[in-house]
Amino acid sequence: MIIVDNALQRLAALDAPIRVGMVGAGFMAQGLTNQIENSVPGMRMAAIYNRRPERARHCYEYSGRTPVMAGSQSAFDAAVEARQAVVAEDPFLITRSPHIDIVVDTTGSVEFGSHVILDAFKHGKSVVLMNAEVDATIGPILRVYAKQHGQILSACDGDEPGVQMNLVRWVRGLGLKPRLVGNVKGLQDPYRNPTTQQGWAERWGQNAAMVTSFADGSKISFEQAIVANATGFGVLQRGMSRGLKYDGSIMDIAKLYDVEQLRAMGGAIDYTVGPSLIKVFVLAEHEDPKQRHYLNLYKMGEGPLYPFWTPYHLVHFECPNAIARVHVFQDELAPPLGGPVVEVCAVAKRDLKAGETLDEYGMYMTYGEAANAREMCENRYLPEGLVQGCRLKRDIGQNQVLTYDDVELPPDRLADRLRAEQYAHFMGETWLADLLQERQALAA
């Protein structure tokens, strides 16, 4: 942060702001536009795309700008070069323009996001994600493509994966070894749906489906999968703590965990409901007894696990830091160490019947749970990020994990092919590629 603010001040002094192109115009995108336009020197929101153009227009108007519409590449480029606020009629106007420096994906869509991200890489642009769903589902293979094009795919400052990885880096910088990386929720109920969450969503001007994904555990599963992939830490069990309530002090939260088990795993990711005033935490140990003496002196306790925490995540306030870190310093937040370590499987929210077509995550039919990638692959679990449009071949009971064998996939999805490539590239597993090929042959 200290380095980033000075770098942005220099860009402002040079009148050479980072030109941001954003895809998606929801609640967080609205806040991010206002933040960049009115509070961040050396950066501007150059263009926004949304499938509903009026939402993109609203984001600008919310920040005090009056945008123009652009439907062709020439019109788009001319408007951005003239420093107008531009609503793009096509997302690829943003990814392909030489006048956009970096792309921010706020859509929450895996299939659509994968098209936008790959096109951005192809045209020399890095991408910052406020889209945990695409990162958790196919992030490792997307980063293979990013490297091929000399670009970066980064998580976001302020969002939970970025906040956790910032804390992990800081703790490691102190010389400690993280053993547990945790996220904190205020509520966990896997059976919440857009009807139960409508009032809360309306109160805060948010989308009911997105709010549902927070409440039913899907969102935190996506977030923790990203952290797992960036640290190499797995889950203690499928579903992590499943909403373990903890009201005690953060100084005593280590008692929830077996340090020997964490050491044997190398480390784990998890979440709890509570404690209050804590957003993310890291439990870490120090191998040097001399340093443990000092940690005790500094009121960190006797160990072996020492708690470190961040009390807040200020998503759209902090996101510009990630944009600057990527564009100016080529510093990627939460990059996977390699292939997937943890993924998010789809679980039936209610009894499901053969012939039904699954709705999207955060809706009425499924919720997501974090599972170790080996379990996910061996059992052919269906990923929660790709449930939408899958047609059930058989009845599925409530709380049963869905598998690829339970569904007919929508035809010709890029994200399915990327996920099959991810398994083959990192794990040497070809069953998903074979499955897609078989079903393509049957469809032909």
Side-chain angles (χ1 to χ4, degrees):
M1 172 59 197
I2 303 303
I3 295 174
V4 166
D5 64 353
N6 287 334
L8 288 172
Q9 291 285 359
R10 286 194 294 271
L11 290 175
L14 294 169
D15 194 26
I18 300 170
R19 299 164 297 182
V20 180
M22 183 167 65
V23 179
F27 180 73
M28 288 299 170
Q30 167 187 282
L32 179 59
T33 304
N34 187 54
Q35 179 72 4
I36 289 175
E37 288 297 299
N38 295 308
S39 301
V40 182
M43 186 179 298
R44 69 187 187 90
M45 186 63 75
I48 305 174
Y49 166 81
N50 195 68
R51 60 184 177 180
R52 294 167 51 201
E54 66 273 15
R55 283 294 310 159
R57 178 177 291 276
H58 169 76
C59 282
Y60 273 124
E61 292 172 346
Y62 185 83
S63 70
R65 300 289 304 278
T66 300
V68 299
M69 294 286 296
S72 69
Q73 195 69 63
S74 59
F76 178 90
D77 291 346
V80 173
E81 191 174 21
R83 299 200 177 189
Q84 294 177 289
V86 185
V87 172
E89 295 182 17
D90 185 322
F92 301 115
L93 296 177
I94 291 174
T95 58
R96 297 172 185 177
S97 174
H99 302 288
I100 297 294
D101 297 313
I102 192 166
V103 175
V104 177
D105 175 4
T106 72
T107 64
S109 167
V110 178
E111 174 65 11
F112 176 66
S114 64
H115 286 272
V116 170
I117 291 164
L118 289 182
D119 199 71
F121 295 159
K122 191 180 301 182
H123 291 87
K125 293 175 181 61
S126 292
V127 179
V128 172
L129 293 174
M130 294 178 74
N131 182 347
E133 294 77 10
V134 73
D135 203 350
T137 306
I138 51 175
I141 196 65
L142 286 173
R143 283 172 174 84
V144 171
Y145 284 94
K147 289 178 181 177
Q148 288 176 0
H149 293 282
Q151 303 304 318
I152 289 173
L153 180 66
S154 177
C156 172
D157 268 309
D159 219 351
E160 282 95 331
V163 175
Q164 288 174 88
M165 290 310 300
N166 284 343
L167 185 57
V168 165
R169 285 173 64 171
W170 184 74
V171 168
R172 284 175 173 160
L174 298 180
L176 287 96
K177 182 175 293 185
R179 291 299 189 190
L180 190 287
V181 185
N183 205 336
V184 176
K185 293 190 66 178
L187 167 72
Q188 167 62 25
D189 179 357
Y191 310 119
R192 294 297 176 103
N193 61 53
T195 301
T196 66
Q197 303 309 110
Q198 186 65 41
W200 200 94
E202 289 178 352
R203 176 187 175 192
W204 294 101
Q206 294 198 53
N207 177 279
M210 186 60 68
V211 169
T212 299
S213 74
F214 303 156
D216 71 9
S218 299
K219 191 72 167 184
I220 204 164
S221 297
F222 288 124
E223 292 164 351
Q224 295 311 91
I226 296 168
V227 176
N229 295 341
T231 56
F233 296 174
V235 295
L236 297 168
Q237 63 175 1
R238 177 170 58 82
M240 298 180 286
S241 73
R242 293 201 174 102
L244 176 65
K245 181 74 173 174
Y246 179 73
D247 292 321
S249 166
I250 187 65
M251 297 302 298
D252 299 321
I253 200 168
K255 69 183 181 182
L256 299 178
Y257 302 98
D258 180 343
V259 66
E260 295 300 334
Q261 182 184 22
L262 296 177
R263 286 170 179 161
M265 292 179 62
I269 53 103
D270 197 21
Y271 77 98
T272 56
V273 176
S276 61
L277 306 180
I278 305 294
K279 189 65 201 81
V280 306
F281 63 95
V282 169
L283 301 179
E285 61 178 338
H286 208 301
E287 296 177 347
D288 186 343
K290 301 186 297 297
Q291 298 291 41
R292 293 198 295 269
H293 176 76
Y294 278 95
L295 286 167
N296 196 10
L297 171 68
Y298 296 148
K299 307 298 189 292
M300 294 300 295
E302 295 184 356
L305 292 174
Y306 300 94
F308 301 86
W309 66 91
T310 301
Y312 42 72
H313 77 306
L314 305 175
V315 186
H316 77 273
F317 288 96
E318 297 182 80
C319 181
N321 291 337
I323 295 170
R325 285 169 65 175
V326 170
H327 184 70
V328 179
F329 299 104
Q330 290 74 56
D331 182 29
E332 179 179 354
L333 284 76
L337 298 179
V341 177
V342 169
E343 299 186 282
V344 183
C345 64
V347 185
K349 191 175 284 191
R350 60 166 173 81
D351 289 340
L352 304 173
K353 298 299 182 183
E356 288 190 286
T357 298
L358 297 177
D359 53 17
E360 197 173 5
Y361 69 89
M363 295 296 285
Y364 295 89
M365 300 176 78
T366 64
Y367 61 91
E369 285 194 332
N372 288 320
R374 181 50 60 184
E375 176 187 351
M376 188 97 172
C377 181
E378 289 177 352
N379 292 287
R380 299 161 67 108
Y381 290 161
L382 183 70
E384 178 68 2
L386 292 172
V387 290
Q388 186 177 23
C390 293
R391 186 173 181 274
L392 289 169
K393 297 161 63 175
R394 56 178 65 93
D395 294 351
I396 303 293
Q398 186 182 44
N399 298 323
Q400 182 178 335
V401 180
L402 282 79
T403 73
Y404 276 96
D405 300 314
D406 297 326
V407 300
E408 295 174 1
L409 298 173
D412 197 32
R413 292 194 301 192
L414 173 61
D416 287 321
R417 298 196 299 274
L418 287 169
R419 193 157 183 277
E421 186 179 345
Q422 182 167 275
Y423 271 164
H425 182 87
F426 291 108
M427 302 172 72
E429 295 282 354
T430 62
W431 64 264
L432 183 51
D434 294 341
L435 178 66
L436 295 178
Q437 190 172 16
E438 289 170 9
R439 296 187 179 179
Q440 185 178 5
L442 287 173

